Amino acid sequence: MDASEEPLPPVIYTMENKPIVTCAGDQNLFTSVYPTLSQQLPREPMEWRRSYGRAPKMIHLESNFVQFKEELLPKEGNKALLTFPFLHIYWTECCDTEVYKATVKDDLTKWQNVLKAHSSVDWLIVIVENDAKKKNKTNILPRTSIVDKIRNDFCNKQSDRCVVLSDPLKDSSRTQESWNAFLTKLRTLLLMSFTKNLGKFEDDMRTLREKRTEPGWSFCEYFMVQEELAFVFEMLQQFEDALVQYDELDALFSQYVVNFGAGDGANWLTFFCQPVKSWNGLILRKPIDMEKRESIQRREATLLDLRSYLFSRQCTLLLFLQRPWEVAQRALELLHNCVQELKLLEVSVPPGALDCWVFLSCLEVLQRIEGCCDRAQIDSNIAHTVGLWSYATEKLKSLGYLCGLVSEKGPNSEDLNRTVDLLAGLGAERPETANTAQSPYKKLKEALSSVEAFEKHYLDLSHATIEMYTSIGRIRSAKFVGKDLAEFYMRKKAPQKAEIYLQGALKNYLAEGWALPITHTRKQLAECQKHLGQIENYLQTSSLLASDHHLTEEERKHFCQEILDFASQPSDNPGHKIVLPMQSFAQLRDLHFDPSNAVVHVGGVLCIEITMYSQMPVPVHVEQIVVNVHFSIEKNSYRKTAEWLTKHKTSNGIINFPPETAPFPVSQNSLPALELYEMFERSPSDNSLNTTGIICRNVHMLLRRQESSSSLEMPSGVALEEGAHVLRCSHVTLEPGANQITFRTQAKEPGTYTLRQLCASVGSVWFVLPHIYPIVQYDVYSQEPQLHVEPLAVQRTSGPKCAGISPCQQASSQPCSGVLQFCSDPVYWSWCQMSQDSLLAGIPQKVKFTVTTGHYTIKNGDSLQLSNAEAMLILCQAESRAMVYSNTREQSSDAALRIQSSDKVTSISLPVAPAYHVIEFELEVLSLPSAPALGGESDMLGMAEPHRKHKDKQKTGHCMVTTDHKVSIDCPWSIYSTVIALTFSVPFRTTHALLSSGTRKYVQVCVQNLSELDFQLSDSYLVDTSDSTDLQLVPLNTQSQQPIYSKQSVFFVWELKWTEEPPPSLHCRFSVGFSPASEEQLSISLKPYTYEFKVENFFTLYNVKAEIFPPSGMEYCRTGSLCSLEVLITRLSDLLEVDKDEALTESDEHFSTKLMYEVVDNSSNWAVCGKSCGVISMPVAARATHRVHMEVMPLFAGYLPLPDVRLFKYLPHHSAHSSQLDADSWIENDSLSVDKHGDDQPDSSSLKSRGSVHSACSSEHKGLPMPRLQALPAGQVFNSSSGTQVLVIPSQDDHVLEVSVT
Amino acid sequence: MAVCIEVIAKENYPFYIRSTPTENELKFHCMVHTSLDVVDEKISAMAKALVDQRELYQDLLYPTEDYKVYGYLTNSKVKFVMVVDSSNTALRDNEIRSMFRKLHNSYMDVVQPLLQPGGLHPVQGL
């Protein structure tokens, strides 16, 4: 645009600009329709189709209607768009052909020619029709003719360039219609014109841009051209398009700068490289900064001017577009960019000038945004603006430092000169802001005016920034600004104000483990604390810094020296301690116990060796290293015995400590994992569970305050424990790195000692490790001398050697023996369950003696005095030796044992042993088998079923008979005697039985081995103790030696023979020699095993024979048919002693007795018909016979055993004296009858009847005269038909097969 | 070339830091640390939007006068932060993206064998 060539009508660059439309023709007519036109035109939007594929837009059109003048038409090459007339309208209301021909046509022609001359094709002819006029003039042609004429004359092929507007001022539907058509036409033509003209403009502009590589091309010129387009878009309210124009200009310029930096310089760019002389910041309060625009136009603008102007335009458009936050964002980018561009272009900038420019610009942008937004909007968009605040703060800070406003003394003359220069560059305040109190200009000027004002402004800004950052959760940023602020306060010698910011920043960095910022902040903090005189904090920070590998060696040494210097200062308060956490000073790496199980007896020596890793850069002399120990007495004294402790602590004695601070701190959400352990507290006496629970072992790590976990700077968290028990190591020099320190302690009180704290003192400085974790404990125990006597496990032969396994063995469980533990303390003794065989009687058994010396020292001559038990021998062996162990079983020696036996006392002299040792030796003892109780009479019962009886017995009793031998022992350490009971089990159980065959009698002895051992039996004897010469016992056993395996039985049988009348009872003694099968030779001869028993009434008196015959005429018995049962009872002897009882009656020198028979079929094979029992009078004479007939019916077919026939003695009711006399036998009878009840199934009618007899029998005790039944002893009745069977065939019509399924 | 590259754990502690002018290390650390504010904001915005994060590149986080700080966020919320000299105009968005992608690949090569099952959380201290 050639501004200088012709005076343009002043263009007002505001939103009031509208596209120009000229009006020619009848001005009065136009004036009359103008109000309606200008009102109606923008009412309806019109779609604007764009070129170059740009999206179509709906647009509300407005126009500035001006009178047509030739001057308005642009000349060739004119690039002004704002003054460009987009449409030319000719107005006429001519309806008279004459008038038309006379004036209008000429006028139109002239108008058209002018337009043609300027090659303007955007025109329109409007013919306004008026009905009123028509009526007045009668000779008028039809309206169409004029329109046609005009179209014909002017609108060559462009008939749409002529429109008719009918009665525009009337209010009729026709008028409305006409207006609408006209307006549509007008809008369409306007848009067509825009498209065409703007398109052409853009093309020209692009052509111009393409020439940018040509020499002489001017960016400023191009700028003006493209801005013209932007203005038009703005005029059309297409702000987006307008913004695009500026953005393109921005990008183009940026690219040039970048290219310049790359060495591809454009000539025109050198204009922008002039030294910066003015830095008055952005101006955003005017829509267009004409001043700057003109300077661009004149090509005098500096880079900052261009950027400022460009940004102000962008800002204006963005605000039109309601995007204030983009302004803020773009502003920050712009400011950064400008700084970079100036650097890139190597523009000379006075120091501080850019800071001023940036500061002013930031505030200007912020104020501009604040000016167009309400408070709530601003508050919710802090994230967008805070960057500018922060940038402004930063810039003000650097200005402050530059102008000497931060130093303590205030600015010097150089600083003042600089300040004056800077203020000069600001120039005078612009009129727009002159009245604003808080304008950026005023603020900057004031801030640079004095130290106090600067401080005020800087603090205001900093606090505002911190607050804003905090409010939007940008804590890191807030802390970072705070750190700057702290630096400022430190400069201003206000460390008390700086501290909080430094702590805040440090905490923030610590929480996320940023090592370098941590180190730096700590360094600042150390200085701050030093100024504040916070000695403890300073020393602590110093210790952290001294161990900080991010510092140089020199720095570390400095901080270490600070601590050492302080420590060596003579303190005015000698007792005063400065307690610091140990961690930064040194770290506990591992700990090693000697003895390794960390258990030591009272008086014993315990060594603890720790490895401390010194973090200090120089060797540090430590006066003492102290471990505070917590002592607790365990209630459970058993747990303190050497036995328990050695059993339960099998660690190697080395405890490793995890490094306390991992290289990355544990963040809040990843706390250390819970270390949970199950805890069982058992009862000391029987090992039963008392309590159970869960223990968390790292509570102190989990439950500490969150703050202290991230900030290790708080010394208040470390408390020095004062305990009575300490381990101490004095005068140690800790070299940098690992150091071994050994603590040695003599154990005193028994209990558990827990290492709690580790302290190292350097002068008055104490470094404390408040918790030693994992928990480290050692135990000190005191033990009373104890004597344990326990059987040594019997060496078992490996299982039964025979193939058959008796059911007994399967049922047997491992025998358990309870062993009493005795110690000298008579109150204290406990059972200890031991799963091992007990001692066996009869053979030599080993017993283990364990003497735990505890605190007692065994002196020469100390001995155990055992009072001998009668039936237990202590077998002395010549070469007995005792083993002596230390409590930990580490060392051992053996010594000879002297055993001296006298009648009453066996004395064992103990070898000399120091305290807390164990003496072990073995003794052989032999329990003499005492005569067992007489074999129970009951074993003899039930001659008929001896096997069953035997089996029952086995079932119930497979436990060995035991005998306890009590031995009283005098121990040298106690005045009390201790009594120990040794339990011996008899390995055998013996039963006997009487067997009959008619009148021949046999005695069977069954020996059952209940033990786990195999034995060899030899020399079995059965002797009659009553020594009746008449009786002979003939052994039927062939072998003299016989093995008896574990859990197996051996039977021995003797036949009884006599010549005269046999004795009513027989006393026998069975004896058999035995020895363990495994041992070849025993040192001593063993006593045989004996068993005594008595057999009574063994002589057979009656023979019972039963026979069943088929019904007469039949060959076989059939089911369901009655058969006859014949029972023959024969007396086998004459009157004997045993017959002499109440049932015996004498008449005519003939004796007879009363017997009751009973037929019982337990297996329900037979139904006894009629009487099943009866009483007979039996003559007591040999071969006296009684015959009984009965009817029985077989219920099943097959070979059926005969029903049982039983005989009882039928006793008349008691006379008074006999009942007393025979009281014992009554009891026996009673028990028998009960027994009988138990054996028999009460399933037959016969049994019931007998039951009644029994009840009668029992009631007889009360004196009622009732007869009684007495079973005949098994030996007296021989059933000769037992075992016989009868063939029963099924009845012929019995075809029913019964199958029952259960 | 970037002047500083950091790999930062999900919990915001630094895994790996490398910067070329070592004298300015502290400045870079602080800068990167501060830029985590913006990353956090982006993460929480993503969480609020409940959209699957597809774009790992987080754009310019924190422009300063002299440096530009770019961010990149892996699916396991490990952050890569790159500091670029502002004057280095050769580095456009695409270059930055491809640098991040390369960094991510290298990181995965190193860390993959150390990933703990059950969580995409690399072993501490790496």
Side-chain angles (χ1 to χ4, degrees), chain A residues 83-125:
Chain A
T83 52
F84 185 82
F86 284 94
L87 191 62
H88 308 278
I89 306 176
Y90 190 89
W91 298 86
T92 179
E93 55 176 352
C94 174
C95 51
D96 193 332
T97 324
E98 298 306 317
V99 179
Y100 171 71
K101 280 182 180 164
T103 57
V104 176
K105 191 178 175 185
D106 288 350
D107 199 30
L108 262 171
T109 311
K110 222 163 92 189
W111 178 69
Q112 281 255 308
N113 286 341
V114 173
L115 291 180
K116 269 181 195 151
H118 289 90
S119 51
S120 176
V121 290
D122 303 301
W123 50 266
L124 178 68
I125 300 167

Side-chain angles (χ1 to χ4, degrees), chain A residues 991-1052:
Chain A
T991 52
H992 68 275
L994 178 71
L995 308 174
S996 308
S997 175
T999 50
R1000 295 174 77 176
K1001 293 290 166 180
Y1002 304 89
V1003 172
Q1004 186 201 52
V1005 176
C1006 168
V1007 178
Q1008 192 186 355
N1009 182 1
L1010 299 171
S1011 77
E1012 302 287 323
L1013 273 181
D1014 298 339
F1015 290 97
Q1016 191 73 29
L1017 298 182
S1018 58
D1019 307 324
S1020 56
Y1021 294 105
L1022 186 69
V1023 289
D1024 177 15
T1025 49
S1026 52
D1027 275 341
S1028 51
T1029 49
D1030 182 33
L1031 200 68
Q1032 253 188 301
L1033 290 163
V1034 182
L1036 302 178
N1037 317 306
T1038 51
Q1039 287 170 312
S1040 67
Q1041 292 271 333
Q1042 199 157 19
I1044 179 164
Y1045 296 115
S1046 172
K1047 310 291 178 196
Q1048 305 265 322
S1049 299
V1050 168
F1051 291 87
F1052 298 92

Side-chain angles (χ1 to χ4, degrees), chain A residues 1020-1163:
Chain A
S1020 56
Y1021 294 105
L1022 186 69
V1023 289
D1024 177 15
T1025 49
S1026 52
D1027 275 341
S1028 51
T1029 49
D1030 182 33
L1031 200 68
Q1032 253 188 301
L1033 290 163
V1034 182
L1036 302 178
N1037 317 306
T1038 51
Q1039 287 170 312
S1040 67
Q1041 292 271 333
Q1042 199 157 19
I1044 179 164
Y1045 296 115
S1046 172
K1047 310 291 178 196
Q1048 305 265 322
S1049 299
V1050 168
F1051 291 87
F1052 298 92
V1053 181
W1054 282 266
E1055 188 178 356
L1056 270 70
K1057 284 191 175 170
W1058 59 88
T1059 47
E1060 292 168 21
E1061 186 183 327
S1065 70
L1066 179 63
H1067 286 270
C1068 296
R1069 186 198 292 134
F1070 168 76
S1071 75
V1072 63
F1074 71 103
S1075 62
S1078 54
E1079 286 172 52
E1080 302 85 33
Q1081 198 69 46
L1082 282 169
S1083 52
I1084 50 154
S1085 57
L1086 300 175
K1087 294 266 171 74
Y1089 171 75
T1090 58
Y1091 173 68
E1092 286 187 31
F1093 58 95
K1094 194 171 125 188
V1095 185
E1096 282 189 313
N1097 298 328
F1098 55 85
F1099 188 74
T1100 312
L1101 296 181
Y1102 301 99
N1103 183 25
V1104 177
K1105 190 181 177 198
E1107 266 186 298
I1108 287 180
F1109 301 101
S1112 55
M1114 298 230 208
E1115 202 177 343
Y1116 297 107
C1117 300
R1118 283 177 184 277
T1119 53
S1121 58
L1122 286 175
C1123 306
S1124 67
L1125 170 72
E1126 198 171 283
V1127 178
L1128 200 68
I1129 303 167
T1130 314
R1131 172 86 193 187
L1132 296 180
S1133 71
D1134 289 328
L1135 184 67
L1136 290 174
E1137 270 307 296
V1138 292
D1139 290 321
K1140 289 175 183 167
D1141 56 14
E1142 297 154 58
L1144 194 71
T1145 48
E1146 187 184 353
S1147 59
D1148 308 335
E1149 294 185 3
H1150 292 287
F1151 290 94
S1152 67
T1153 186
K1154 283 201 169 153
L1155 292 177
M1156 192 185 101
Y1157 66 88
E1158 186 185 21
V1159 178
V1160 180
D1161 181 38
N1162 285 330
S1163 50

